[in-house]
């Protein structure tokens, strides 16, 4: 028997699919048409983000090839070692606060450098899954209603992100 | 924001590469990364077609709306300042459900609508965020996404043996970040209330 988290991981998506299909059938919908409509939107979204992703992957690729990312992680390692956080992930965590797609570029770099299933790769996956871009989200949402004083939003956002990063590191670095 | 970040990445890369003698690799890396992005986009298009297609069935079958109704009692706890039948509840619920099921881009329009409603309920000066707004933003930034479809797709593209194996841990990590966000927001709302009477 797998441990509960692994069991959950294996079963979650299939169970959701089953529920979705059954509810589509009971609602007597034309589900295949619904699926293809949604699929069309999904593909459109993926194509729409290609230019952004290409630009940022080029940026990360250049940084990696120049040796700067290694320089940065080596320089940071004495700081992060003490708290048990992998210095290789510092650039990604910092960038994630500002831009999700730029952080994705760095995540993919982590995957190709250290492997998706390594401890670092797993931790990176978890961090990306459990945090959101702080400054981008705040500026879009608050600007839309002309709020200038954001009070404790930033402090709360940082608290939540820090908790997410800590939990990810604990889970990811322990298993791997 | 992205302008500076991106320009900074390229400039630093070229300058640092010139100093360390890695400049010849910079061009290669740029071209190689660009073609990697295209390969990745093809994988992503497949994953997104699959997931958004399935979620469209769920939406049309009324599943997402049912999930939104389930969320109401939780929202009543998180946003005590919003009247029970106010349309802000609906917008916030739609935003949260989209986020939870990994439809992040579909969440933003509902989120902005929610902000508009929250602004009409704002008892601070119109330039100051209300408690509800702060809570809503912290909730959004704490990442509600339970199923990180995009991360799973990236992992499969980059050769993971079991791309979805992170799901269980991801749910735990997301719950921790969201829990911390909610706790923080509740404390701030309560202490604020005491101070202002």
């Amino acid at each position: 028997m797998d441990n509960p988290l692994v069991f959950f991981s294996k079963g979650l998506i299939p169970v959701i699919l089953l529920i979705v299909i059954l509810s589509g059938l009971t609602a007597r919908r034309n589900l295949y048409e619904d699926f293809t409509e949604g699929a069309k939107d999904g593909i459109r979204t993926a194509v729409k983000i290609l230019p952004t992703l290409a630009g940022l992957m080029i940026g990360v690729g250049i940084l990696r090839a120049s040796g700067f990312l290694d320089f940065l992680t080596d320089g940071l390692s004495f700081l992060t070692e003490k708290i048990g956080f992998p210095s290789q992930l510092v650039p990604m965590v910092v960038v994630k606060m500002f831009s999700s797609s730029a952080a994705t570029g760095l995540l993919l770099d982590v995957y190709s450098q250290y492997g998706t299933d390594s401890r670092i790769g797993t931790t990176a996956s978890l961090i990306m899954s459990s945090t959101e871009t702080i400054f981008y989200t705040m500026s879009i949402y608050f600007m839309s209603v002309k709020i200038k004083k954001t009070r404790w939003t930033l402090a709360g956002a940082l608290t939540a992100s820090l908790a997410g990063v800590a939990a990810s590191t604990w889970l990811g670095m322990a298993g791997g | 924001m992205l302008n500076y970040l991106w320009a900074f990445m390229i400039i630093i890369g070229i300058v640092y590469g010139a100093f360390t003698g890695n400049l010849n690799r910079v061009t290669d890396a740029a071209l190689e990364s660009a073609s990697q992005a295209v390969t990745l986009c093809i994988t992503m298009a497949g994953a997104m077609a699959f997931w958004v297609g399935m979620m469209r069935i769920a939406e049309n079958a009324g599943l997402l709306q049912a999930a939104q109704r389930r969320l109401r009692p939780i929202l009543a706890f998180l946003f005590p300042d919003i009247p029970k039948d106010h349309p802000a509840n609906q917008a916030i619920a739609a935003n949260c459900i989209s986020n939870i099921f990994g439809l992040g881009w579909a969440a933003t329009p509902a989120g902005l609508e929610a902000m508009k409603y929250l602004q009409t309920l704002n008892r601070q000066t119109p330039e100051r965020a209300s408690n509800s707004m702060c809570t809503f933003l912290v909730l959004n930034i704490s990442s509600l996404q339970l199923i990180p479809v995009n991360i799973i797709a990236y992992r499969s593209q980059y050769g993971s043996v079991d791309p979805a194996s992170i799901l269980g841990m991801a749910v735990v990590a997301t719950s921790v970040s969201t829990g911390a966000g909610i706790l923080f927001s509740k404390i701030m709302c309560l202490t604020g209330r005491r101070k202002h009477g």
Side-chain angles (χ1 to χ4, degrees):
Chain A
M1 192 63 200
D2 288 327
N3 83 52
L5 271 191
V6 175
F7 185 71
F8 179 82
S9 300
K10 283 185 179 155
L12 183 60
I13 291 179
V15 167
I16 291 180
L17 295 187
L18 203 62
I19 295 173
V20 166
I21 298 290
L22 288 177
S23 65
L25 282 177
T26 37
R28 298 189 172 279
R29 294 282 315 179
N30 189 344
L31 35 156
Y32 198 69
E33 200 171 283
D34 289 346
F35 174 82
T36 50
E37 279 300 311
K40 211 186 286 171
D41 278 357
I43 292 173
R44 211 175 285 146
T45 312
V47 172
K48 225 189 288 172
I49 59 170
L50 173 61
T52 317
L53 203 60
L56 289 159
M57 283 177 75
I58 291 167
V60 174
I62 290 177
L63 270 188
R64 164 63 63 194
S66 73
F68 185 75
L69 280 181
D70 288 328
F71 164 76
L72 201 64
T73 45
D74 287 350
L76 290 166
S77 61
F78 78 97
L79 273 176
T80 52
E81 242 167 40
K82 286 184 191 136
I83 51 170
F85 185 78
S87 59
Q88 295 90 333
L89 299 183
V90 174
M92 189 192 81
V93 170
V94 174
V95 165
K96 175 90 200 211
M97 293 198 283
F98 301 93
S99 157
S100 190
S101 19
T104 303
L106 288 163
L107 169 78
L108 301 175
D109 180 64
V110 166
Y111 285 167
S112 51
Q113 293 295 314
Y114 310 102
T116 47
D117 301 322
S118 64
R119 290 176 178 200
I120 289 178
T122 307
T123 307
S125 311
L126 294 175
I127 291 175
M128 288 294 284
S129 312
S130 63
T131 55
E132 261 303 337
T133 49
I134 298 178
F135 297 103
Y136 175 78
T137 313
M138 279 182 64
S139 64
I140 296 255
Y141 277 58
F142 279 134
M143 243 155 46
S144 74
V145 286
K146 302 190 176 67
I147 295 279
K148 296 211 176 68
K149 301 222 165 63
T150 60
R151 296 171 65 212
W152 43 269
T153 311
L154 182 60
L158 287 170
T159 306
S161 303
L162 192 68
V165 171
S168 302
T169 310
W170 185 68
L171 288 162
M173 297 307 277
Chain B
M1 189 72 75
L2 200 50
N3 270 333
Y4 292 110
L5 198 63
W6 192 60
F8 176 82
M9 281 159 93
I10 292 177
I11 292 170
I12 292 280
I14 291 173
V15 171
Y16 190 82
F19 275 109
T20 52
N22 286 328
L23 207 52
N24 55 326
R25 287 168 54 202
V26 164
T27 316
D28 283 352
L31 287 169
E32 200 189 317
S33 307
S35 82
Q36 271 174 12
V38 176
T39 322
L40 185 72
C41 174
I42 295 171
T43 311
M44 283 308 289
M48 300 272 276
F50 158 63
W51 192 251
V52 182
M54 286 298 172
M55 285 302 129
R56 185 62 50 86
I57 299 178
E59 194 185 341
N60 288 345
L63 264 189
L64 295 187
Q65 293 83 331
Q68 289 173 20
R69 279 194 296 276
R70 292 270 172 83
L71 209 60
R72 283 298 179 82
I74 303 173
L75 294 185
F77 163 75
L78 289 175
F79 302 99
D81 296 341
I82 305 176
K84 198 164 163 282
D85 290 316
H86 197 276
N89 288 308
Q90 171 61 30
I92 292 176
N95 169 273
C96 291
I97 291 297
S98 297
N99 272 322
I100 288 172
F101 288 103
L103 305 168
W105 62 94
T108 310
L112 294 180
E113 197 191 332
M115 288 302 278
K116 210 176 66 196
Y117 287 127
L118 291 179
Q119 182 68 308
T120 64
L121 294 169
N122 193 354
R123 281 175 302 180
Q124 310 269 341
T125 58
E127 284 201 343
R128 262 170 76 85
S130 64
N131 281 342
S132 299
M133 287 178 180
C134 295
T135 307
F136 181 56
L137 258 291
V138 171
L139 201 61
N140 255 287
I141 294 170
S142 79
S143 169
L144 297 162
Q145 185 177 18
L146 276 191
I147 298 147
V149 209
N150 46 349
I151 304 293
I152 296 176
Y154 296 143
R155 285 170 57 81
S156 96
Q157 173 74 31
Y158 279 73
S160 171
V161 199
D162 188 1
S165 62
I166 53 144
L167 255 178
M169 290 189 287
V171 170
V172 175
T174 298
S175 309
V176 169
S177 67
T178 303
I182 290 176
L183 195 66
F184 184 92
S185 301
K186 274 287 161 197
I187 292 172
M188 291 313 283
C189 290
L190 290 175
T191 53
R193 191 152 297 160
R194 207 175 305 142
K195 220 178 292 166
H196 299 298

